[in-house]
Amino acid sequence: MTEHTASPAPRPHDLPDVSDLVVGVLGGTGDQGRGLALRLAGVGQQVLIGSRSADRARTAAAEIGPGVTGADNAECARRADIVIVAVPWEGHRDLLTALREELAGKIVVDCVNPLGFDNKGAYALRPEEGSAAEQARDLLPDSRVTAAFHHLSAVLLQDLTIAEIDTDVLVLGDDREATDTVRALAARIPGMRGIYAGRLRNAHQVEALVANLISVNRRYKAHAGLRVTDV
Amino acid sequence: MTEHTASPAPRPHDLPDVSDLVVGVLGGTGDQGRGLALRLAGVGQQVLIGSRSADRARTAAAEIGPGVTGADNAECARRADIVIVAVPWEGHRDLLTALREELAGKIVVDCVNPLGFDNKGAYALRPEEGSAAEQARDLLPDSRVTAAFHHLSAVLLQDLTIAEIDTDVLVLGDDREATDTVRALAARIPGMRGIYAGRLRNAHQVEALVANLISVNRRYKAHAGLRVTDV
């Protein structure tokens, strides 16, 4: 006879071990993707960067350094356990539509910021689905979609003279296990914490806040990040 | 003959002296308003809280303590130099419509967060003007509208056992002198800095981010705030 015992609720700061997971980075040849690949490979994570062209991905992987390999986007999605989506907003919908099968069952981490720019600076765009992350959720019904890594400076990520990145990563999603996995991934990068910050329906403002950080950077000549206090 | 010399651009961390300004708090009998009044009076700022009922405002002012007086909203707006709008979103439009004349020429600081709540928690509302702050700007064409103080915990503000509030205040607006004044006001509260964070057209996401902080607070049993790093 089996006794069913309710497992205790996970404590908010407990994190799973993600060191064996393969991380894919779609759009990994861009600045944000390169920076994340560099930092994750630097702590021993196996990283696979994707690009439309497998050749370009392999060249970029070799430039980024040890622990990083390249493939076309479809193979990147197929081979990775966690897939970070770091493409420009303009290519977001088409890419995810094309990779629906490859991304089935995977944890998808959307870090895309839909922004427009004019002579007054950056401003937030409003995707019809509410946010880039909700667009991803709608396009990828068989994936575990989360949103994170929006506020990182690609400059700081790629500058290895900076040992620790002084910022928290806001992690959003409707699947507790998936968001905990992404929080653990963020926490592997020295200086960062992964902080749960709500459901996907509250992703728009997190994506859009990059417009404000761009204003901060311009005014203060900074590479601003965010820390959550009292956590 | 007069020589015109361009004055040097102000440095980003320079702040004006605001210690002589009278601060009004519309909705000053609510938790957020009381907390701000308490903290500002505590550093010697002259604070006037407003309410629909002058009696209720005077009672609340007496409870908050020395340096705080009460008046009805119209008198509060008329007598103050800087007016913080801390009313519930539901009353925002009507209040500002009624006070257009009293608020003419004043620096208005909107700290209203348009939120909805259901069984999944808080979510952002989208005002037709874009944000509460942009609604204020549209309703108050003769005022200098800014947005700030969105992310403060009313609990921490009102708890005087906490000497310093560990958070930055994001200050938005299209008028440099007005945003600098509000930044200086925020910086008077121990622990806080006032950080310029963009134009009013980027206010929505700053207001809406409170929904995310509510999720953080719930998960981590915290009173979360935000720090901007590298500034």
Side-chain angles (χ1 to χ4, degrees), chain A residues 12-13 118 120-124 126 166-167 170 172 176 180 183 194-199 201-202 204-206 208-209 211-212 215-216 219-220 222-231, chain B residues 12-13 118 120-124 126 166-167 172 176 180 183 194-199 201-202 204-206 208-209 211-212 215-216 219-220 222-231:
Chain A
H13 286 288
D118 62 18
K120 290 179 177 170
Y123 57 94
R126 180 90 183 172
D166 183 14
T167 195
L170 303 182
L172 292 90
R176 173 75 186 246
D180 281 355
R183 289 175 49 226
I195 304 288
Y196 172 76
R199 294 172 181 270
R201 68 175 182 172
N202 282 316
H204 167 68
Q205 54 266 26
V206 173
L209 199 68
N212 302 85
S215 293
V216 171
R219 172 69 60 91
Y220 297 94
H223 299 292
L226 291 176
R227 283 276 182 216
V228 181
T229 59
D230 199 41
V231 166
Chain B
H13 286 287
D118 62 17
K120 291 179 178 170
Y123 58 94
R126 180 90 182 170
D166 183 15
T167 195
L172 291 90
R176 172 76 188 246
D180 281 355
R183 289 174 51 226
I195 304 288
Y196 173 75
R199 293 172 181 269
R201 68 175 183 173
N202 281 315
H204 167 69
Q205 54 265 27
V206 173
L209 200 68
N212 303 86
S215 294
V216 171
R219 171 68 61 91
Y220 297 94
H223 300 291
L226 289 176
R227 282 278 182 214
V228 181
T229 59
D230 199 40
V231 167

Coordinates of all heavy atoms in Angstrom, one line a residue, chain A residues 12-13 118 120-124 126 166-167 170 172 176 180 183 194-199 201-202 204-206 208-209 211-212 215-216 219-220 222-231, chain B residues 12-13 118 120-124 126 166-167 172 176 180 183 194-199 201-202 204-206 208-209 211-212 215-216 219-220 222-231:
Chain A
P12 N 11.2 29.7 -1.8 CA 11.4 30.6 -2.9 C 12.8 30.7 -3.4 O 13.0 31.0 -4.6 CB 10.9 32.0 -2.4 CG 10.8 31.8 -0.9 CD 10.6 30.4 -0.7
H13 N 13.8 30.5 -2.6 CA 15.2 30.6 -3.0 C 15.8 29.3 -3.4 O 17.0 29.3 -3.8 CB 16.0 31.4 -2.0 CG 15.7 32.8 -1.9 ND1 16.1 33.7 -2.9 CD2 15.1 33.6 -1.0 CE1 15.7 35.0 -2.6 NE2 15.1 34.9 -1.4
D118 N 13.0 56.9 -32.3 CA 12.9 58.1 -33.1 C 13.8 59.1 -32.5 O 14.7 58.8 -31.7 CB 11.4 58.6 -33.2 CG 10.9 59.0 -31.8 OD1 11.7 59.2 -30.8 OD2 9.7 59.1 -31.6
K120 N 13.5 61.2 -30.3 CA 13.5 61.4 -28.9 C 14.0 60.2 -28.1 O 13.8 60.1 -26.9 CB 12.0 61.7 -28.5 CG 11.6 63.1 -28.9 CD 10.1 63.4 -28.6 CE 9.7 64.8 -29.0 NZ 8.3 65.0 -28.8
G121 N 14.4 59.2 -28.8 CA 15.0 58.0 -28.2 C 14.1 56.8 -28.4 O 13.4 56.7 -29.4
A122 N 14.1 55.9 -27.4 CA 13.4 54.6 -27.5 C 12.0 54.7 -26.9 O 11.8 55.5 -26.0 CB 14.2 53.5 -26.8
Y123 N 11.1 53.9 -27.4 CA 9.8 53.8 -26.8 C 9.3 52.4 -27.0 O 9.8 51.7 -27.9 CB 8.8 54.9 -27.5 CG 8.7 54.7 -29.0 CD1 7.6 54.0 -29.5 CD2 9.6 55.4 -29.8 CE1 7.5 53.9 -30.9 CE2 9.4 55.3 -31.2 CZ 8.4 54.5 -31.7 OH 8.3 54.4 -33.1
A124 N 8.3 52.1 -26.2 CA 7.9 50.7 -26.2 C 6.9 50.5 -27.3 O 6.0 51.3 -27.5 CB 7.2 50.4 -24.8
R126 N 3.8 47.8 -28.6 CA 2.8 47.0 -28.0 C 2.4 45.9 -28.9 O 1.5 46.1 -29.8 CB 1.6 47.9 -27.6 CG 0.5 47.1 -26.9 CD 0.7 47.1 -25.4 NE -0.3 46.4 -24.7 CZ -0.2 46.1 -23.4 NH1 0.8 46.5 -22.7 NH2 -1.2 45.4 -22.8
D166 N 26.5 43.3 -12.1 CA 25.7 43.7 -10.9 C 24.3 44.0 -11.3 O 23.8 45.1 -11.5 CB 26.4 45.1 -10.5 CG 25.7 45.6 -9.2 OD1 25.0 44.9 -8.6 OD2 26.0 46.8 -8.9
T167 N 23.5 42.9 -11.5 CA 22.1 43.0 -11.8 C 21.3 41.8 -11.5 O 21.9 40.7 -11.4 CB 22.0 43.3 -13.3 OG1 20.7 43.8 -13.6 CG2 22.2 42.1 -14.2
L170 N 14.9 39.4 -13.9 CA 13.5 39.1 -13.6 C 13.0 38.0 -14.5 O 13.2 38.0 -15.7 CB 12.7 40.4 -13.9 CG 13.1 41.7 -13.2 CD1 12.1 42.8 -13.5 CD2 13.1 41.4 -11.7
L172 N 9.9 35.5 -15.7 CA 8.4 35.5 -15.7 C 8.0 34.2 -16.4 O 8.6 33.7 -17.3 CB 7.8 36.7 -16.5 CG 8.0 38.0 -15.8 CD1 9.3 38.7 -16.2 CD2 6.8 38.9 -16.1
R176 N 5.9 26.9 -12.8 CA 6.9 27.0 -11.7 C 8.2 26.4 -12.0 O 9.3 26.9 -11.7 CB 6.2 26.5 -10.4 CG 7.1 26.5 -9.2 CD 7.3 27.9 -8.6 NE 8.3 27.9 -7.6 CZ 8.0 28.2 -6.3 NH1 6.8 28.5 -5.9 NH2 9.0 28.2 -5.4
D180 N 11.8 28.2 -12.3 CA 12.8 27.9 -11.4 C 14.1 27.5 -12.1 O 15.2 27.9 -11.7 CB 12.4 26.8 -10.4 CG 11.5 27.3 -9.3 OD1 11.3 28.5 -9.2 OD2 11.0 26.4 -8.5
R183 N 15.6 30.7 -13.5 CA 16.2 31.4 -12.3 C 17.6 30.8 -12.0 O 18.6 31.5 -11.7 CB 15.3 31.4 -11.1 CG 14.1 32.3 -11.3 CD 13.1 32.1 -10.1 NE 13.9 32.3 -8.9 CZ 13.8 31.5 -7.8 NH1 12.9 30.5 -7.8 NH2 14.5 31.7 -6.7
G194 N 18.4 35.2 -10.2 CA 17.2 35.1 -11.0 C 16.0 35.3 -10.0 O 15.8 34.5 -9.1
I195 N 15.2 36.3 -10.2 CA 14.1 36.6 -9.3 C 12.8 36.4 -10.0 O 12.5 37.0 -11.1 CB 14.2 38.1 -8.9 CG1 15.5 38.4 -8.2 CG2 13.0 38.5 -7.9 CD1 15.7 37.8 -6.9
Y196 N 11.9 35.5 -9.5 CA 10.6 35.4 -10.1 C 9.8 36.7 -10.0 O 9.8 37.3 -8.9 CB 9.8 34.3 -9.3 CG 8.4 34.2 -9.7 CD1 8.1 33.6 -11.0 CD2 7.4 34.7 -9.0 CE1 6.8 33.5 -11.4 CE2 6.0 34.7 -9.4 CZ 5.8 34.0 -10.6 OH 4.5 34.0 -11.1
A197 N 9.2 37.1 -11.1 CA 8.6 38.4 -11.2 C 7.2 38.4 -11.9 O 6.8 39.4 -12.4 CB 9.5 39.4 -11.8
G198 N 6.6 37.2 -11.8 CA 5.2 37.2 -12.2 C 4.9 36.4 -13.4 O 5.8 35.7 -14.0
R199 N 3.6 36.4 -13.8 CA 3.1 35.6 -15.0 C 3.4 36.3 -16.3 O 3.7 37.5 -16.3 CB 1.6 35.4 -14.8 CG 1.3 34.6 -13.6 CD -0.3 34.6 -13.4 NE -0.6 33.8 -12.2 CZ -0.9 32.5 -12.3 NH1 -0.9 31.9 -13.4 NH2 -1.1 31.9 -11.2
R201 N 1.4 37.3 -18.4 CA 0.6 38.4 -18.7 C 1.1 39.7 -18.2 O 0.6 40.8 -18.6 CB -0.8 38.2 -18.2 CG -0.9 38.2 -16.6 CD -2.4 38.1 -16.2 NE -2.5 38.1 -14.7 CZ -3.6 38.2 -14.1 NH1 -4.8 38.2 -14.8 NH2 -3.7 38.3 -12.8
N202 N 2.1 39.7 -17.4 CA 2.8 40.9 -16.9 C 4.2 41.0 -17.5 O 5.1 41.7 -16.9 CB 2.9 40.9 -15.4 CG 1.5 41.3 -14.8 OD1 0.9 42.3 -15.2 ND2 1.1 40.6 -13.7
H204 N 4.8 42.4 -20.6 CA 5.0 43.6 -21.4 C 5.8 44.7 -20.7 O 6.8 45.3 -21.3 CB 3.7 44.2 -21.9 CG 3.8 45.6 -22.5 ND1 4.4 45.8 -23.7 CD2 3.5 46.8 -22.0 CE1 4.4 47.1 -23.9 NE2 3.9 47.7 -22.9
Q205 N 5.5 45.0 -19.5 CA 6.2 46.1 -18.9 C 7.6 45.8 -18.6 O 8.5 46.7 -18.5 CB 5.4 46.6 -17.6 CG 5.2 45.5 -16.6 CD 3.8 44.9 -16.7 OE1 3.2 44.9 -17.8 NE2 3.2 44.4 -15.7
V206 N 7.9 44.6 -18.4 CA 9.3 44.2 -18.2 C 10.1 44.3 -19.5 O 11.2 44.8 -19.5 CB 9.4 42.7 -17.6 CG1 10.8 42.2 -17.5 CG2 8.7 42.7 -16.2
A208 N 9.3 46.4 -21.9 CA 9.2 47.8 -22.3 C 10.2 48.6 -21.5 O 10.6 49.7 -21.9 CB 7.8 48.3 -22.2
L209 N 10.5 48.2 -20.2 CA 11.3 48.9 -19.3 C 12.7 49.2 -19.9 O 13.4 50.1 -19.5 CB 11.4 48.2 -18.0 CG 11.8 49.0 -16.8 CD1 10.8 50.1 -16.4 CD2 12.1 48.2 -15.6
A211 N 13.3 50.6 -22.6 CA 13.3 51.9 -23.1 C 13.7 52.9 -22.0 O 14.4 53.9 -22.3 CB 11.9 52.3 -23.6
N212 N 13.3 52.7 -20.8 CA 13.7 53.5 -19.7 C 15.1 53.4 -19.4 O 15.8 54.3 -19.1 CB 12.8 53.2 -18.4 CG 11.3 53.4 -18.7 OD1 10.7 52.5 -19.2 ND2 10.8 54.6 -18.5
S215 N 17.1 55.4 -21.6 CA 17.2 56.8 -21.1 C 18.1 57.0 -20.0 O 18.9 58.0 -19.9 CB 15.8 57.3 -20.7 OG 14.9 57.3 -21.8
V216 N 18.1 56.1 -19.0 CA 19.1 56.1 -17.9 C 20.5 56.1 -18.4 O 21.4 56.9 -18.1 CB 18.9 55.0 -16.9 CG1 20.0 54.9 -15.9 CG2 17.5 55.1 -16.3
R219 N 21.4 59.5 -20.1 CA 21.6 60.6 -19.1 C 22.9 60.4 -18.3 O 23.6 61.4 -18.0 CB 20.4 60.7 -18.2 CG 20.5 61.7 -17.1 CD 20.5 63.1 -17.5 NE 19.4 63.6 -18.2 CZ 18.3 64.1 -17.7 NH1 18.2 64.3 -16.4 NH2 17.3 64.5 -18.4
Y220 N 23.1 59.2 -17.8 CA 24.2 59.0 -16.8 C 25.4 58.4 -17.4 O 26.4 58.0 -16.6 CB 23.6 58.1 -15.6 CG 22.5 58.8 -14.9 CD1 21.2 58.5 -15.2 CD2 22.8 59.6 -13.8 CE1 20.1 59.1 -14.5 CE2 21.7 60.2 -13.1 CZ 20.4 60.0 -13.4 OH 19.4 60.5 -12.7
A222 N 25.9 55.4 -18.5 CA 26.0 54.1 -17.7 C 25.6 52.9 -18.5 O 25.2 53.1 -19.7 CB 25.0 54.2 -16.5
H223 N 25.8 51.7 -17.9 CA 25.2 50.5 -18.5 C 24.3 50.0 -17.3 O 24.7 49.1 -16.6 CB 26.3 49.5 -18.8 CG 27.2 50.0 -19.9 ND1 26.8 50.2 -21.2 CD2 28.5 50.3 -19.8 CE1 27.8 50.6 -21.9 NE2 28.9 50.7 -21.1
A224 N 23.1 50.6 -17.2 CA 22.3 50.4 -16.1 C 21.7 49.0 -16.0 O 21.4 48.4 -17.0 CB 21.2 51.4 -16.0
G225 N 21.6 48.4 -14.8 CA 20.9 47.2 -14.6 C 19.9 47.4 -13.4 O 19.8 48.6 -12.9
L226 N 19.3 46.4 -13.0 CA 18.3 46.5 -11.9 C 18.6 45.5 -10.8 O 18.9 44.3 -11.1 CB 16.9 46.3 -12.4 CG 16.3 47.3 -13.3 CD1 14.9 46.9 -13.8 CD2 16.2 48.7 -12.6
R227 N 18.5 45.9 -9.5 CA 18.5 45.0 -8.4 C 17.1 45.1 -7.7 O 16.6 46.2 -7.6 CB 19.5 45.4 -7.4 CG 20.9 45.1 -7.7 CD 21.2 43.7 -7.3 NE 22.6 43.4 -7.6 CZ 23.0 42.2 -8.1 NH1 22.1 41.2 -8.2 NH2 24.3 42.0 -8.3
V228 N 16.6 44.0 -7.3 CA 15.4 44.0 -6.5 C 15.8 44.0 -5.1 O 16.6 43.1 -4.6 CB 14.5 42.7 -6.8 CG1 13.3 42.7 -6.0 CG2 14.2 42.6 -8.3
T229 N 15.3 44.9 -4.3 CA 15.7 45.0 -2.9 C 14.7 44.3 -2.0 O 13.6 44.0 -2.4 CB 15.8 46.5 -2.5 OG1 14.5 47.1 -2.6 CG2 16.8 47.3 -3.3
D230 N 15.2 43.9 -0.8 CA 14.4 43.2 0.2 C 14.1 41.8 -0.2 O 13.2 41.1 0.4 CB 13.1 44.0 0.6 CG 12.5 43.5 1.9 OD1 13.3 43.3 2.8 OD2 11.3 43.3 2.0
V231 N 14.8 41.2 -1.2 CA 14.7 39.8 -1.6 C 16.0 39.2 -1.5 O 17.0 39.7 -1.9 CB 14.2 39.7 -3.0 CG1 14.3 38.3 -3.6 CG2 12.7 40.2 -3.1
Chain B
P12 N 24.5 65.2 -14.5 CA 23.4 64.3 -14.2 C 23.1 64.2 -12.8 O 21.9 63.9 -12.4 CB 23.7 63.0 -14.9 CG 25.1 63.0 -15.2 CD 25.5 64.5 -15.4
H13 N 24.1 64.3 -11.9 CA 23.8 64.0 -10.5 C 23.6 65.4 -9.7 O 23.4 65.3 -8.5 CB 24.9 63.2 -9.8 CG 24.8 61.7 -10.2 ND1 23.9 60.9 -9.8 CD2 25.6 61.0 -11.1 CE1 24.0 59.7 -10.3 NE2 25.1 59.7 -11.1
D118 N -7.3 40.0 -10.0 CA -8.2 38.9 -10.1 C -7.6 37.7 -9.3 O -6.7 38.0 -8.5 CB -8.5 38.5 -11.6 CG -7.3 38.0 -12.3 OD1 -6.3 37.7 -11.7 OD2 -7.3 38.0 -13.6
K120 N -5.7 35.5 -10.1 CA -4.3 35.2 -10.4 C -3.3 36.4 -9.9 O -2.1 36.4 -10.2 CB -4.1 35.0 -11.9 CG -4.7 33.7 -12.3 CD -4.5 33.5 -13.8 CE -5.1 32.2 -14.2 NZ -5.2 32.0 -15.7
G121 N -3.9 37.4 -9.3 CA -3.0 38.4 -8.8 C -3.3 39.8 -9.5 O -4.4 40.0 -10.0
A122 N -2.3 40.6 -9.6 CA -2.4 41.9 -10.2 C -2.0 41.9 -11.7 O -1.2 41.1 -12.1 CB -1.5 42.9 -9.4
Y123 N -2.6 42.7 -12.4 CA -2.2 42.9 -13.8 C -2.4 44.4 -14.2 O -3.1 45.1 -13.5 CB -3.0 42.0 -14.7 CG -4.5 42.2 -14.7 CD1 -5.2 43.1 -15.5 CD2 -5.3 41.6 -13.7 CE1 -6.5 43.3 -15.4 CE2 -6.7 41.8 -13.6 CZ -7.3 42.7 -14.5 OH -8.6 42.9 -14.4
A124 N -1.6 44.8 -15.2 CA -1.6 46.2 -15.6 C -2.8 46.5 -16.4 O -3.2 45.8 -17.3 CB -0.3 46.4 -16.4
R126 N -4.4 49.5 -19.1 CA -3.8 50.3 -20.1 C -4.7 51.5 -20.3 O -5.7 51.5 -21.0 CB -3.6 49.6 -21.4 CG -3.0 50.3 -22.5 CD -1.6 50.2 -22.5 NE -0.9 51.0 -23.6 CZ 0.4 51.2 -23.7 NH1 1.2 50.6 -22.8 NH2 0.9 51.9 -24.6
D166 N 15.5 51.2 1.2 CA 16.5 50.7 0.2 C 15.9 50.6 -1.2 O 15.6 49.6 -1.7 CB 17.0 49.4 0.7 CG 18.1 48.8 -0.1 OD1 18.7 49.5 -0.9 OD2 18.3 47.5 0.0
T167 N 15.8 51.8 -1.8 CA 15.2 51.8 -3.2 C 15.5 53.1 -3.9 O 15.8 54.1 -3.3 CB 13.7 51.6 -3.1 OG1 13.2 51.2 -4.4 CG2 13.0 52.9 -2.7
L172 N 10.2 60.4 -14.2 CA 10.0 60.6 -15.6 C 9.4 61.9 -15.9 O 8.6 62.5 -15.0 CB 9.1 59.5 -16.1 CG 9.7 58.1 -16.2 CD1 9.4 57.4 -14.9 CD2 9.1 57.3 -17.3
R176 N 13.1 69.2 -17.9 CA 14.3 68.8 -17.2 C 14.3 69.4 -15.8 O 14.7 68.8 -14.8 CB 15.5 69.3 -18.0 CG 16.9 69.2 -17.2 CD 17.4 67.8 -17.2 NE 18.5 67.6 -16.4 CZ 19.7 67.2 -16.9 NH1 19.9 67.0 -18.2 NH2 20.8 67.0 -16.1
D180 N 14.3 67.3 -12.3 CA 15.4 67.5 -11.4 C 14.9 67.8 -10.0 O 15.4 67.4 -9.0 CB 16.4 68.6 -11.9 CG 17.4 68.1 -13.0 OD1 17.3 66.8 -13.3 OD2 18.1 68.9 -13.5
R183 N 13.6 64.7 -8.5 CA 14.7 63.8 -8.1 C 15.3 64.3 -6.8 O 15.6 63.5 -5.9 CB 15.8 63.8 -9.2 CG 15.4 63.1 -10.5 CD 16.4 63.2 -11.6 NE 17.7 62.9 -11.0 CZ 18.8 63.6 -11.2 NH1 18.8 64.7 -12.0 NH2 20.0 63.3 -10.7
G194 N 16.9 59.7 -6.6 CA 15.9 60.0 -7.7 C 16.7 59.8 -9.0 O 17.6 60.6 -9.2
I195 N 16.3 58.9 -9.8 CA 17.0 58.6 -11.0 C 16.1 59.0 -12.2 O 15.0 58.5 -12.3 CB 17.3 57.1 -11.1 CG1 18.1 56.6 -9.9 CG2 18.1 56.8 -12.4 CD1 19.5 57.1 -9.8
Y196 N 16.6 59.8 -13.1 CA 15.9 60.2 -14.3 C 15.7 58.9 -15.1 O 16.7 58.2 -15.4 CB 16.6 61.3 -15.1 CG 16.0 61.5 -16.4 CD1 14.8 62.2 -16.5 CD2 16.5 61.0 -17.6 CE1 14.1 62.4 -17.7 CE2 15.9 61.2 -18.8 CZ 14.7 61.9 -18.9 OH 14.1 62.1 -20.1
A197 N 14.5 58.6 -15.6 CA 14.3 57.3 -16.3 C 13.4 57.5 -17.5 O 12.7 56.6 -17.9 CB 13.7 56.3 -15.3
G198 N 13.4 58.7 -18.1 CA 12.8 58.8 -19.4 C 11.6 59.8 -19.5 O 11.3 60.4 -18.5
R199 N 11.1 59.9 -20.7 CA 10.0 60.8 -20.9 C 8.6 60.2 -20.5 O 8.5 59.0 -20.3 CB 9.9 61.1 -22.4 CG 11.1 61.9 -22.9 CD 11.1 61.9 -24.5 NE 12.2 62.7 -24.9 CZ 12.3 64.0 -25.1 NH1 11.2 64.7 -24.9 NH2 13.4 64.6 -25.5
R201 N 6.2 59.5 -22.2 CA 5.7 58.4 -23.1 C 6.1 57.1 -22.7 O 5.6 56.1 -23.2 CB 6.0 58.8 -24.5 CG 7.5 58.6 -24.8 CD 7.8 58.8 -26.3 NE 9.2 58.6 -26.7 CZ 9.6 58.6 -27.9 NH1 8.8 58.8 -28.9 NH2 10.9 58.5 -28.2
N202 N 7.1 57.0 -21.8 CA 7.6 55.7 -21.3 C 7.2 55.5 -19.9 O 7.8 54.7 -19.1 CB 9.1 55.6 -21.5 CG 9.5 55.2 -22.9 OD1 8.9 54.3 -23.5 ND2 10.5 55.9 -23.5
H204 N 4.1 54.2 -18.9 CA 3.2 53.1 -18.7 C 3.9 51.9 -18.0 O 3.5 51.3 -17.0 CB 2.6 52.6 -20.0 CG 1.9 51.3 -19.8 ND1 0.8 51.1 -19.1 CD2 2.2 50.1 -20.3 CE1 0.4 49.8 -19.1 NE2 1.3 49.2 -19.8
Q205 N 5.1 51.5 -18.6 CA 5.7 50.3 -18.1 C 6.3 50.5 -16.6 O 6.3 49.6 -15.9 CB 6.9 49.9 -19.0 CG 7.9 50.9 -19.3 CD 7.6 51.6 -20.7 OE1 6.4 51.7 -21.1 NE2 8.6 52.1 -21.3
V206 N 6.6 51.8 -16.3 CA 7.0 52.0 -14.9 C 5.9 51.9 -14.0 O 6.0 51.3 -12.9 CB 7.7 53.4 -14.8 CG1 8.0 53.8 -13.4 CG2 9.0 53.4 -15.7
A208 N 3.1 50.1 -14.6 CA 2.7 48.7 -14.6 C 3.6 47.7 -13.9 O 3.1 46.7 -13.4 CB 2.5 48.3 -16.1
L209 N 4.8 48.1 -13.8 CA 5.8 47.2 -13.1 C 5.4 46.9 -11.7 O 5.9 45.9 -11.1 CB 7.2 47.8 -13.2 CG 8.4 46.9 -13.0 CD1 8.5 45.9 -14.1 CD2 9.7 47.7 -12.8
A211 N 2.7 45.6 -10.8 CA 2.1 44.3 -10.8 C 3.2 43.2 -10.6 O 3.0 42.2 -9.9 CB 1.4 44.1 -12.1
N212 N 4.4 43.4 -11.2 CA 5.4 42.5 -11.0 C 6.0 42.5 -9.6 O 6.3 41.5 -9.0 CB 6.6 42.8 -12.0 CG 6.1 42.7 -13.5 OD1 5.6 43.7 -14.0 ND2 6.1 41.6 -14.1
S215 N 3.9 40.5 -7.4 CA 4.3 39.0 -7.5 C 5.5 38.7 -6.8 O 5.6 37.6 -6.1 CB 4.5 38.7 -9.0 OG 3.3 38.8 -9.7
V216 N 6.5 39.6 -6.8 CA 7.8 39.4 -6.1 C 7.4 39.3 -4.6 O 7.9 38.4 -3.9 CB 8.8 40.5 -6.4 CG1 10.0 40.4 -5.4 CG2 9.3 40.4 -7.8
R219 N 5.7 36.0 -3.6 CA 6.6 34.8 -3.7 C 7.6 34.9 -2.6 O 7.9 33.8 -1.9 CB 7.3 34.7 -5.1 CG 8.4 33.7 -5.2 CD 7.9 32.3 -5.1 NE 6.9 31.9 -6.2 CZ 7.3 31.4 -7.4 NH1 8.5 31.2 -7.6 NH2 6.4 31.2 -8.3
Y220 N 8.2 36.0 -2.3 CA 9.4 36.1 -1.4 C 9.0 36.6 -0.1 O 9.9 36.8 0.8 CB 10.5 36.9 -2.1 CG 11.1 36.3 -3.3 CD1 10.6 36.7 -4.6 CD2 12.1 35.3 -3.3 CE1 11.1 36.1 -5.7 CE2 12.6 34.8 -4.5 CZ 12.1 35.2 -5.7 OH 12.6 34.6 -6.8
A222 N 8.2 39.7 0.7 CA 9.1 40.8 0.8 C 8.3 42.1 0.6 O 7.1 42.1 0.4 CB 10.2 40.7 -0.3
H223 N 9.0 43.2 0.8 CA 8.5 44.5 0.4 C 9.5 45.0 -0.6 O 10.4 45.8 -0.3 CB 8.4 45.5 1.5 CG 7.5 45.0 2.6 ND1 6.1 44.9 2.4 CD2 7.7 44.6 3.9 CE1 5.5 44.5 3.5 NE2 6.4 44.2 4.4
A224 N 9.4 44.5 -1.8 CA 10.5 44.7 -2.8 C 10.6 46.2 -3.3 O 9.5 46.8 -3.5 CB 10.3 43.8 -4.0
G225 N 11.8 46.6 -3.6 CA 12.0 47.9 -4.2 C 13.0 47.6 -5.4 O 13.4 46.5 -5.6
L226 N 13.4 48.7 -6.0 CA 14.3 48.6 -7.1 C 15.5 49.5 -7.0 O 15.4 50.7 -6.6 CB 13.6 49.0 -8.5 CG 12.6 48.0 -9.0 CD1 12.0 48.6 -10.2 CD2 13.2 46.6 -9.3
R227 N 16.7 49.0 -7.3 CA 17.9 49.8 -7.4 C 18.4 49.8 -8.8 O 18.4 48.8 -9.5 CB 19.0 49.3 -6.5 CG 18.9 49.5 -5.1 CD 19.4 50.9 -4.7 NE 19.3 51.1 -3.3 CZ 19.1 52.3 -2.8 NH1 18.9 53.4 -3.5 NH2 19.0 52.5 -1.5
V228 N 18.8 51.0 -9.3 CA 19.4 51.0 -10.6 C 20.9 50.9 -10.4 O 21.5 51.7 -9.7 CB 19.1 52.4 -11.3 CG1 19.7 52.4 -12.7 CG2 17.5 52.5 -11.4
T229 N 21.5 49.9 -11.1 CA 22.9 49.7 -10.9 C 23.7 50.5 -12.0 O 23.2 50.9 -13.0 CB 23.3 48.2 -11.0 OG1 22.9 47.7 -12.3 CG2 22.6 47.4 -9.9
D230 N 25.0 50.7 -11.7 CA 26.0 51.4 -12.6 C 25.6 52.9 -12.7 O 26.1 53.5 -13.6 CB 26.0 50.7 -13.9 CG 27.3 51.1 -14.7 OD1 28.4 51.2 -14.0 OD2 27.3 51.4 -15.9
V231 N 24.8 53.4 -11.8 CA 24.5 54.9 -11.8 C 24.8 55.4 -10.4 O 24.5 54.8 -9.4 CB 23.0 55.1 -12.1 CG1 22.6 56.5 -11.8 CG2 22.7 54.7 -13.5

